[in-house]
Amino acid sequence: HKHCAIRYWFTKTGTVIAVTGKAEALQLPGIEYIDISIKSGDTVQKVENHTQRCGCVITSGDTSSEAIERAKAVINSIDIIVE
């Protein structure tokens, strides 16, 4: 049996200048799904409900700890630059 984890992107409010690191993140082990729903030029509002998150990642691993650590690694490897 595999374990899975899901984590979400949240960022400060403002205008998205760039989103980098997705190609590199896709090379990390255990990636099942990555969705980044914002792009350069988008305006990020204060998150008040789940539809306003910037995206999510789902990872898998042999243990729940491994899946969680993999999800954290993806979140930390993608940089959402907002001004």
Side-chain angles (χ1 to χ4, degrees), residues 5-50:
I6 185 169
R7 293 294 180 268
Y8 300 93
W9 275 277
F10 299 91
T11 189
K12 64 183 181 178
T13 60
T15 301
V16 178
I17 303 304
V19 178
T20 62
K22 184 175 179 181
E24 294 81 4
L26 287 168
Q27 302 305 311
L28 295 172
I31 304 301
E32 302 295 333
Y33 178 77
I34 293 178
D35 174 53
I36 301 173
S37 57
I38 60 172
K39 62 186 180 316
S40 295
D42 286 352
T43 300
V44 178
Q45 303 291 329
K46 178 182 175 190
V47 175
E48 295 180 356
N49 64 64
H50 71 91

mmCIF file of all heavy atoms in Angstrom, residues 5-50:
data_model
loop_
_atom_site.group_PDB
_atom_site.id
_atom_site.type_symbol
_atom_site.label_atom_id
_atom_site.label_comp_id
_atom_site.label_asym_id
_atom_site.label_seq_id
_atom_site.Cartn_x
_atom_site.Cartn_y
_atom_site.Cartn_z
ATOM 1 N N ALA A 5 -0.092 12.295 0.298
ATOM 2 C CA ALA A 5 -0.204 13.569 1.008
ATOM 3 C C ALA A 5 -0.622 14.626 0.001
ATOM 4 O O ALA A 5 -0.281 14.549 -1.185
ATOM 5 C CB ALA A 5 1.128 13.954 1.654
ATOM 6 N N ILE A 6 -1.363 15.607 0.475
ATOM 7 C CA ILE A 6 -1.734 16.751 -0.357
ATOM 8 C C ILE A 6 -1.357 18.012 0.399
ATOM 9 O O ILE A 6 -1.547 18.102 1.610
ATOM 10 C CB ILE A 6 -3.236 16.727 -0.723
ATOM 11 C CG1 ILE A 6 -3.576 17.862 -1.692
ATOM 12 C CG2 ILE A 6 -4.104 16.779 0.521
ATOM 13 C CD1 ILE A 6 -4.951 17.754 -2.312
ATOM 14 N N ARG A 7 -0.790 18.950 -0.317
ATOM 15 C CA ARG A 7 -0.438 20.248 0.250
ATOM 16 C C ARG A 7 -0.864 21.320 -0.746
ATOM 17 O O ARG A 7 -0.950 21.070 -1.947
ATOM 18 C CB ARG A 7 1.065 20.360 0.528
ATOM 19 C CG ARG A 7 1.563 19.427 1.636
ATOM 20 C CD ARG A 7 0.966 19.805 2.979
ATOM 21 N NE ARG A 7 1.410 18.961 4.065
ATOM 22 C CZ ARG A 7 0.793 17.860 4.482
ATOM 23 N NH1 ARG A 7 -0.292 17.432 3.858
ATOM 24 N NH2 ARG A 7 1.255 17.168 5.491
ATOM 25 N N TYR A 8 -1.111 22.516 -0.224
ATOM 26 C CA TYR A 8 -1.621 23.621 -1.035
ATOM 27 C C TYR A 8 -0.651 24.793 -1.026
ATOM 28 O O TYR A 8 0.078 25.003 -0.061
ATOM 29 C CB TYR A 8 -2.982 24.085 -0.486
ATOM 30 C CG TYR A 8 -4.007 22.997 -0.491
ATOM 31 C CD1 TYR A 8 -4.213 22.201 0.630
ATOM 32 C CD2 TYR A 8 -4.757 22.733 -1.627
ATOM 33 C CE1 TYR A 8 -5.152 21.181 0.624
ATOM 34 C CE2 TYR A 8 -5.693 21.714 -1.644
ATOM 35 C CZ TYR A 8 -5.882 20.946 -0.515
ATOM 36 O OH TYR A 8 -6.798 19.935 -0.531
ATOM 37 N N TRP A 9 -0.689 25.556 -2.120
ATOM 38 C CA TRP A 9 0.098 26.784 -2.187
ATOM 39 C C TRP A 9 -0.751 27.945 -1.731
ATOM 40 O O TRP A 9 -1.898 28.111 -2.159
ATOM 41 C CB TRP A 9 0.545 27.093 -3.624
ATOM 42 C CG TRP A 9 1.794 26.403 -4.005
ATOM 43 C CD1 TRP A 9 3.076 26.822 -3.730
ATOM 44 C CD2 TRP A 9 1.925 25.191 -4.723
ATOM 45 N NE1 TRP A 9 3.970 25.925 -4.224
ATOM 46 C CE2 TRP A 9 3.291 24.906 -4.851
ATOM 47 C CE3 TRP A 9 1.008 24.299 -5.260
ATOM 48 C CZ2 TRP A 9 3.773 23.790 -5.496
ATOM 49 C CZ3 TRP A 9 1.478 23.177 -5.906
ATOM 50 C CH2 TRP A 9 2.841 22.937 -6.023
ATOM 51 N N PHE A 10 -0.156 28.756 -0.864
ATOM 52 C CA PHE A 10 -0.723 30.025 -0.440
ATOM 53 C C PHE A 10 0.389 31.052 -0.607
ATOM 54 O O PHE A 10 1.556 30.739 -0.428
ATOM 55 C CB PHE A 10 -1.158 29.985 1.028
ATOM 56 C CG PHE A 10 -2.222 28.968 1.314
ATOM 57 C CD1 PHE A 10 -1.900 27.682 1.704
ATOM 58 C CD2 PHE A 10 -3.554 29.302 1.172
ATOM 59 C CE1 PHE A 10 -2.883 26.745 1.967
ATOM 60 C CE2 PHE A 10 -4.559 28.369 1.430
ATOM 61 C CZ PHE A 10 -4.220 27.091 1.828
ATOM 62 N N THR A 11 0.051 32.252 -0.957
ATOM 63 C CA THR A 11 1.061 33.291 -1.097
ATOM 64 C C THR A 11 0.469 34.606 -0.625
ATOM 65 O O THR A 11 -0.726 34.709 -0.355
ATOM 66 C CB THR A 11 1.558 33.374 -2.558
ATOM 67 O OG1 THR A 11 2.681 34.248 -2.611
ATOM 68 C CG2 THR A 11 0.485 33.852 -3.505
ATOM 69 N N LYS A 12 1.319 35.609 -0.535
ATOM 70 C CA LYS A 12 0.814 36.922 -0.125
ATOM 71 C C LYS A 12 -0.037 37.516 -1.240
ATOM 72 O O LYS A 12 0.002 37.048 -2.387
ATOM 73 C CB LYS A 12 1.979 37.840 0.239
ATOM 74 C CG LYS A 12 2.900 38.174 -0.910
ATOM 75 C CD LYS A 12 4.057 39.037 -0.443
ATOM 76 C CE LYS A 12 4.951 39.378 -1.635
ATOM 77 N NZ LYS A 12 6.055 40.236 -1.243
ATOM 78 N N THR A 13 -0.789 38.530 -0.905
ATOM 79 C CA THR A 13 -1.628 39.189 -1.904
ATOM 80 C C THR A 13 -0.773 40.104 -2.779
ATOM 81 O O THR A 13 0.287 40.562 -2.367
ATOM 82 C CB THR A 13 -2.745 40.009 -1.233
ATOM 83 O OG1 THR A 13 -2.152 41.001 -0.393
ATOM 84 C CG2 THR A 13 -3.654 39.124 -0.409
ATOM 85 N N GLY A 14 -1.240 40.341 -3.989
ATOM 86 C CA GLY A 14 -0.540 41.215 -4.921
ATOM 87 C C GLY A 14 -0.600 40.658 -6.327
ATOM 88 O O GLY A 14 -1.423 39.805 -6.644
ATOM 89 N N THR A 15 0.305 41.143 -7.171
ATOM 90 C CA THR A 15 0.370 40.710 -8.562
ATOM 91 C C THR A 15 1.482 39.692 -8.729
ATOM 92 O O THR A 15 2.612 39.917 -8.285
ATOM 93 C CB THR A 15 0.632 41.922 -9.487
ATOM 94 O OG1 THR A 15 -0.418 42.866 -9.300
ATOM 95 C CG2 THR A 15 0.681 41.499 -10.942
ATOM 96 N N VAL A 16 1.172 38.581 -9.377
ATOM 97 C CA VAL A 16 2.156 37.525 -9.609
ATOM 98 C C VAL A 16 3.145 38.008 -10.669
ATOM 99 O O VAL A 16 2.751 38.393 -11.771
ATOM 100 C CB VAL A 16 1.484 36.213 -10.063
ATOM 101 C CG1 VAL A 16 2.530 35.145 -10.358
ATOM 102 C CG2 VAL A 16 0.486 35.736 -9.018
ATOM 103 N N ILE A 17 4.410 37.989 -10.314
ATOM 104 C CA ILE A 17 5.480 38.382 -11.239
ATOM 105 C C ILE A 17 5.987 37.156 -11.995
ATOM 106 O O ILE A 17 6.232 37.209 -13.196
ATOM 107 C CB ILE A 17 6.644 39.058 -10.475
ATOM 108 C CG1 ILE A 17 6.137 40.277 -9.697
ATOM 109 C CG2 ILE A 17 7.783 39.425 -11.410
ATOM 110 C CD1 ILE A 17 5.424 41.320 -10.535
ATOM 111 N N ALA A 18 6.121 36.036 -11.281
ATOM 112 C CA ALA A 18 6.622 34.811 -11.915
ATOM 113 C C ALA A 18 6.293 33.606 -11.047
ATOM 114 O O ALA A 18 6.117 33.730 -9.838
ATOM 115 C CB ALA A 18 8.133 34.898 -12.127
ATOM 116 N N VAL A 19 6.225 32.452 -11.710
ATOM 117 C CA VAL A 19 6.094 31.161 -11.025
ATOM 118 C C VAL A 19 7.204 30.290 -11.604
ATOM 119 O O VAL A 19 7.221 30.023 -12.808
ATOM 120 C CB VAL A 19 4.714 30.516 -11.272
ATOM 121 C CG1 VAL A 19 4.643 29.164 -10.577
ATOM 122 C CG2 VAL A 19 3.586 31.429 -10.806
ATOM 123 N N THR A 20 8.140 29.874 -10.763
ATOM 124 C CA THR A 20 9.292 29.110 -11.252
ATOM 125 C C THR A 20 9.447 27.802 -10.479
ATOM 126 O O THR A 20 8.965 27.675 -9.354
ATOM 127 C CB THR A 20 10.593 29.928 -11.113
ATOM 128 O OG1 THR A 20 10.815 30.213 -9.726
ATOM 129 C CG2 THR A 20 10.509 31.236 -11.893
ATOM 130 N N GLY A 21 10.104 26.852 -11.101
ATOM 131 C CA GLY A 21 10.471 25.615 -10.432
ATOM 132 C C GLY A 21 9.577 24.424 -10.717
ATOM 133 O O GLY A 21 9.858 23.320 -10.244
ATOM 134 N N LYS A 22 8.506 24.597 -11.490
ATOM 135 C CA LYS A 22 7.596 23.469 -11.718
ATOM 136 C C LYS A 22 8.285 22.337 -12.477
ATOM 137 O O LYS A 22 8.118 21.163 -12.114
ATOM 138 C CB LYS A 22 6.341 23.915 -12.462
ATOM 139 C CG LYS A 22 5.334 22.784 -12.630
ATOM 140 C CD LYS A 22 4.030 23.223 -13.264
ATOM 141 C CE LYS A 22 3.081 22.044 -13.429
ATOM 142 N NZ LYS A 22 1.823 22.438 -14.056
ATOM 143 N N ALA A 23 9.048 22.654 -13.498
ATOM 144 C CA ALA A 23 9.725 21.611 -14.274
ATOM 145 C C ALA A 23 10.661 20.796 -13.388
ATOM 146 O O ALA A 23 10.707 19.562 -13.483
ATOM 147 C CB ALA A 23 10.489 22.224 -15.444
ATOM 148 N N GLU A 24 11.376 21.463 -12.502
ATOM 149 C CA GLU A 24 12.284 20.779 -11.586
ATOM 150 C C GLU A 24 11.492 19.945 -10.570
ATOM 151 O O GLU A 24 11.874 18.825 -10.233
ATOM 152 C CB GLU A 24 13.178 21.786 -10.852
ATOM 153 C CG GLU A 24 14.144 22.525 -11.745
ATOM 154 C CD GLU A 24 13.523 23.720 -12.496
ATOM 155 O OE1 GLU A 24 12.336 24.037 -12.275
ATOM 156 O OE2 GLU A 24 14.227 24.325 -13.300
ATOM 157 N N ALA A 25 10.377 20.485 -10.085
ATOM 158 C CA ALA A 25 9.559 19.773 -9.108
ATOM 159 C C ALA A 25 8.995 18.489 -9.692
ATOM 160 O O ALA A 25 8.877 17.481 -8.992
ATOM 161 C CB ALA A 25 8.430 20.677 -8.609
ATOM 162 N N LEU A 26 8.671 18.508 -10.967
ATOM 163 C CA LEU A 26 8.116 17.316 -11.615
ATOM 164 C C LEU A 26 9.119 16.164 -11.665
ATOM 165 O O LEU A 26 8.731 15.013 -11.876
ATOM 166 C CB LEU A 26 7.628 17.653 -13.022
ATOM 167 C CG LEU A 26 6.340 18.474 -13.074
ATOM 168 C CD1 LEU A 26 6.101 18.992 -14.487
ATOM 169 C CD2 LEU A 26 5.157 17.646 -12.593
ATOM 170 N N GLN A 27 10.393 16.464 -11.459
ATOM 171 C CA GLN A 27 11.434 15.429 -11.469
ATOM 172 C C GLN A 27 11.615 14.781 -10.100
ATOM 173 O O GLN A 27 12.315 13.775 -9.984
ATOM 174 C CB GLN A 27 12.769 16.032 -11.936
ATOM 175 C CG GLN A 27 12.715 16.672 -13.311
ATOM 176 C CD GLN A 27 12.211 15.722 -14.378
ATOM 177 O OE1 GLN A 27 12.681 14.592 -14.478
ATOM 178 N NE2 GLN A 27 11.237 16.151 -15.149
ATOM 179 N N LEU A 28 11.004 15.347 -9.066
ATOM 180 C CA LEU A 28 11.146 14.802 -7.716
ATOM 181 C C LEU A 28 10.374 13.482 -7.602
ATOM 182 O O LEU A 28 9.376 13.274 -8.293
ATOM 183 C CB LEU A 28 10.636 15.815 -6.685
ATOM 184 C CG LEU A 28 11.425 17.117 -6.600
ATOM 185 C CD1 LEU A 28 10.715 18.114 -5.689
ATOM 186 C CD2 LEU A 28 12.841 16.854 -6.099
ATOM 187 N N PRO A 29 10.819 12.584 -6.726
ATOM 188 C CA PRO A 29 10.141 11.286 -6.596
ATOM 189 C C PRO A 29 8.764 11.413 -5.948
ATOM 190 O O PRO A 29 8.530 12.288 -5.116
ATOM 191 C CB PRO A 29 11.093 10.478 -5.697
ATOM 192 C CG PRO A 29 11.851 11.500 -4.934
ATOM 193 C CD PRO A 29 11.979 12.694 -5.845
ATOM 194 N N GLY A 30 7.865 10.536 -6.348
ATOM 195 C CA GLY A 30 6.569 10.434 -5.697
ATOM 196 C C GLY A 30 5.526 11.443 -6.119
ATOM 197 O O GLY A 30 4.456 11.518 -5.517
ATOM 198 N N ILE A 31 5.778 12.203 -7.173
ATOM 199 C CA ILE A 31 4.814 13.207 -7.623
ATOM 200 C C ILE A 31 3.668 12.497 -8.333
ATOM 201 O O ILE A 31 3.869 11.764 -9.297
ATOM 202 C CB ILE A 31 5.456 14.217 -8.592
ATOM 203 C CG1 ILE A 31 6.669 14.885 -7.977
ATOM 204 C CG2 ILE A 31 4.418 15.243 -9.052
ATOM 205 C CD1 ILE A 31 6.404 15.630 -6.709
ATOM 206 N N GLU A 32 2.467 12.723 -7.864
ATOM 207 C CA GLU A 32 1.281 12.166 -8.502
ATOM 208 C C GLU A 32 0.513 13.237 -9.281
ATOM 209 O O GLU A 32 -0.067 12.958 -10.315
ATOM 210 C CB GLU A 32 0.358 11.521 -7.458
ATOM 211 C CG GLU A 32 1.013 10.409 -6.649
ATOM 212 C CD GLU A 32 1.399 9.204 -7.477
ATOM 213 O OE1 GLU A 32 0.772 8.957 -8.519
ATOM 214 O OE2 GLU A 32 2.352 8.497 -7.074
ATOM 215 N N TYR A 33 0.523 14.469 -8.760
ATOM 216 C CA TYR A 33 -0.271 15.545 -9.377
ATOM 217 C C TYR A 33 0.244 16.883 -8.885
ATOM 218 O O TYR A 33 0.518 17.046 -7.690
ATOM 219 C CB TYR A 33 -1.735 15.372 -8.964
ATOM 220 C CG TYR A 33 -2.678 16.428 -9.480
ATOM 221 C CD1 TYR A 33 -3.116 16.420 -10.794
ATOM 222 C CD2 TYR A 33 -3.136 17.436 -8.640
ATOM 223 C CE1 TYR A 33 -3.992 17.384 -11.263
ATOM 224 C CE2 TYR A 33 -4.013 18.404 -9.101
ATOM 225 C CZ TYR A 33 -4.437 18.368 -10.413
ATOM 226 O OH TYR A 33 -5.308 19.326 -10.875
ATOM 227 N N ILE A 34 0.389 17.822 -9.799
ATOM 228 C CA ILE A 34 0.711 19.209 -9.451
ATOM 229 C C ILE A 34 -0.240 20.104 -10.224
ATOM 230 O O ILE A 34 -0.406 19.955 -11.435
ATOM 231 C CB ILE A 34 2.157 19.604 -9.817
ATOM 232 C CG1 ILE A 34 3.165 18.840 -8.961
ATOM 233 C CG2 ILE A 34 2.364 21.105 -9.629
ATOM 234 C CD1 ILE A 34 4.613 19.152 -9.304
ATOM 235 N N ASP A 35 -0.859 21.040 -9.521
ATOM 236 C CA ASP A 35 -1.695 22.054 -10.158
ATOM 237 C C ASP A 35 -1.305 23.404 -9.599
ATOM 238 O O ASP A 35 -1.359 23.609 -8.385
ATOM 239 C CB ASP A 35 -3.179 21.799 -9.870
ATOM 240 C CG ASP A 35 -4.053 22.936 -10.396
ATOM 241 O OD1 ASP A 35 -3.921 23.274 -11.592
ATOM 242 O OD2 ASP A 35 -4.843 23.489 -9.616
ATOM 243 N N ILE A 36 -0.885 24.284 -10.471
ATOM 244 C CA ILE A 36 -0.620 25.672 -10.086
ATOM 245 C C ILE A 36 -1.602 26.511 -10.883
ATOM 246 O O ILE A 36 -1.528 26.577 -12.106
ATOM 247 C CB ILE A 36 0.833 26.077 -10.365
ATOM 248 C CG1 ILE A 36 1.774 25.157 -9.587
ATOM 249 C CG2 ILE A 36 1.056 27.541 -9.977
ATOM 250 C CD1 ILE A 36 3.223 25.360 -9.909
ATOM 251 N N SER A 37 -2.541 27.113 -10.185
ATOM 252 C CA SER A 37 -3.660 27.772 -10.859
ATOM 253 C C SER A 37 -3.441 29.255 -11.103
ATOM 254 O O SER A 37 -4.357 29.940 -11.545
ATOM 255 C CB SER A 37 -4.943 27.555 -10.045
ATOM 256 O OG SER A 37 -4.772 28.036 -8.735
ATOM 257 N N ILE A 38 -2.237 29.746 -10.814
ATOM 258 C CA ILE A 38 -1.943 31.158 -11.075
ATOM 259 C C ILE A 38 -0.777 31.250 -12.041
ATOM 260 O O ILE A 38 -0.011 30.308 -12.201
ATOM 261 C CB ILE A 38 -1.640 31.925 -9.776
ATOM 262 C CG1 ILE A 38 -0.436 31.322 -9.055
ATOM 263 C CG2 ILE A 38 -2.857 31.972 -8.879
ATOM 264 C CD1 ILE A 38 0.035 32.132 -7.885
ATOM 265 N N LYS A 39 -0.675 32.425 -12.670
ATOM 266 C CA LYS A 39 0.407 32.671 -13.627
ATOM 267 C C LYS A 39 0.809 34.134 -13.535
ATOM 268 O O LYS A 39 0.130 34.934 -12.891
ATOM 269 C CB LYS A 39 -0.048 32.308 -15.041
ATOM 270 C CG LYS A 39 -1.215 33.134 -15.526
ATOM 271 C CD LYS A 39 -1.720 32.622 -16.870
ATOM 272 C CE LYS A 39 -2.893 33.417 -17.389
ATOM 273 N NZ LYS A 39 -3.942 33.758 -16.473
ATOM 274 N N SER A 40 1.888 34.479 -14.207
ATOM 275 C CA SER A 40 2.360 35.866 -14.225
ATOM 276 C C SER A 40 1.240 36.795 -14.661
ATOM 277 O O SER A 40 0.493 36.480 -15.595
ATOM 278 C CB SER A 40 3.541 36.018 -15.187
ATOM 279 O OG SER A 40 4.633 35.282 -14.722
ATOM 280 N N GLY A 41 1.089 37.886 -13.938
ATOM 281 C CA GLY A 41 0.075 38.877 -14.258
ATOM 282 C C GLY A 41 -1.208 38.720 -13.466
ATOM 283 O O GLY A 41 -2.012 39.651 -13.385
ATOM 284 N N ASP A 42 -1.429 37.533 -12.876
ATOM 285 C CA ASP A 42 -2.639 37.325 -12.074
ATOM 286 C C ASP A 42 -2.565 38.135 -10.780
ATOM 287 O O ASP A 42 -1.480 38.393 -10.256
ATOM 288 C CB ASP A 42 -2.813 35.848 -11.712
ATOM 289 C CG ASP A 42 -3.266 34.998 -12.880
ATOM 290 O OD1 ASP A 42 -3.601 35.567 -13.948
ATOM 291 O OD2 ASP A 42 -3.289 33.770 -12.719
ATOM 292 N N THR A 43 -3.727 38.501 -10.262
ATOM 293 C CA THR A 43 -3.820 39.178 -8.981
ATOM 294 C C THR A 43 -4.229 38.167 -7.923
ATOM 295 O O THR A 43 -5.206 37.444 -8.099
ATOM 296 C CB THR A 43 -4.857 40.321 -9.032
ATOM 297 O OG1 THR A 43 -4.442 41.253 -10.035
ATOM 298 C CG2 THR A 43 -4.964 41.025 -7.695
ATOM 299 N N VAL A 44 -3.462 38.111 -6.847
ATOM 300 C CA VAL A 44 -3.758 37.202 -5.748
ATOM 301 C C VAL A 44 -4.484 37.989 -4.661
ATOM 302 O O VAL A 44 -3.976 38.993 -4.170
ATOM 303 C CB VAL A 44 -2.471 36.573 -5.175
ATOM 304 C CG1 VAL A 44 -2.794 35.670 -3.994
ATOM 305 C CG2 VAL A 44 -1.720 35.807 -6.255
ATOM 306 N N GLN A 45 -5.672 37.519 -4.319
ATOM 307 C CA GLN A 45 -6.474 38.126 -3.253
ATOM 308 C C GLN A 45 -6.236 37.361 -1.952
ATOM 309 O O GLN A 45 -5.708 36.256 -1.956
ATOM 310 C CB GLN A 45 -7.962 38.067 -3.614
ATOM 311 C CG GLN A 45 -8.318 38.724 -4.920
ATOM 312 C CD GLN A 45 -8.165 40.234 -4.878
ATOM 313 O OE1 GLN A 45 -8.345 40.856 -3.838
ATOM 314 N NE2 GLN A 45 -7.810 40.822 -6.005
ATOM 315 N N LYS A 46 -6.693 37.915 -0.851
ATOM 316 C CA LYS A 46 -6.648 37.220 0.425
ATOM 317 C C LYS A 46 -7.479 35.938 0.295
ATOM 318 O O LYS A 46 -8.596 35.957 -0.218
ATOM 319 C CB LYS A 46 -7.220 38.097 1.528
ATOM 320 C CG LYS A 46 -7.244 37.428 2.874
ATOM 321 C CD LYS A 46 -7.861 38.321 3.924
ATOM 322 C CE LYS A 46 -7.975 37.558 5.233
ATOM 323 N NZ LYS A 46 -8.768 38.275 6.212
ATOM 324 N N VAL A 47 -6.923 34.818 0.752
ATOM 325 C CA VAL A 47 -7.624 33.540 0.657
ATOM 326 C C VAL A 47 -8.729 33.497 1.716
ATOM 327 O O VAL A 47 -8.465 33.572 2.911
ATOM 328 C CB VAL A 47 -6.659 32.351 0.832
ATOM 329 C CG1 VAL A 47 -7.422 31.049 0.850
ATOM 330 C CG2 VAL A 47 -5.615 32.350 -0.265
ATOM 331 N N GLU A 48 -9.958 33.389 1.227
ATOM 332 C CA GLU A 48 -11.108 33.302 2.126
ATOM 333 C C GLU A 48 -11.858 31.984 1.967
ATOM 334 O O GLU A 48 -12.712 31.658 2.775
ATOM 335 C CB GLU A 48 -12.040 34.478 1.888
ATOM 336 C CG GLU A 48 -11.383 35.805 2.249
ATOM 337 C CD GLU A 48 -12.275 37.009 2.037
ATOM 338 O OE1 GLU A 48 -13.407 36.849 1.536
ATOM 339 O OE2 GLU A 48 -11.828 38.109 2.370
ATOM 340 N N ASN A 49 -11.536 31.215 0.885
ATOM 341 C CA ASN A 49 -12.135 29.895 0.704
ATOM 342 C C ASN A 49 -11.214 29.059 -0.181
ATOM 343 O O ASN A 49 -10.261 29.574 -0.762
ATOM 344 C CB ASN A 49 -13.553 29.999 0.120
ATOM 345 C CG ASN A 49 -13.564 30.590 -1.272
ATOM 346 O OD1 ASN A 49 -13.020 30.014 -2.213
ATOM 347 N ND2 ASN A 49 -14.179 31.753 -1.424
ATOM 348 N N HIS A 50 -11.513 27.783 -0.273
ATOM 349 C CA HIS A 50 -10.615 26.852 -0.968
ATOM 350 C C HIS A 50 -10.425 27.161 -2.446
ATOM 351 O O HIS A 50 -9.423 26.771 -3.038
ATOM 352 C CB HIS A 50 -11.090 25.410 -0.784
ATOM 353 C CG HIS A 50 -12.332 25.093 -1.539
ATOM 354 N ND1 HIS A 50 -12.319 24.606 -2.805
ATOM 355 C CD2 HIS A 50 -13.644 25.210 -1.198
ATOM 356 C CE1 HIS A 50 -13.565 24.424 -3.226
ATOM 357 N NE2 HIS A 50 -14.388 24.783 -2.269
#
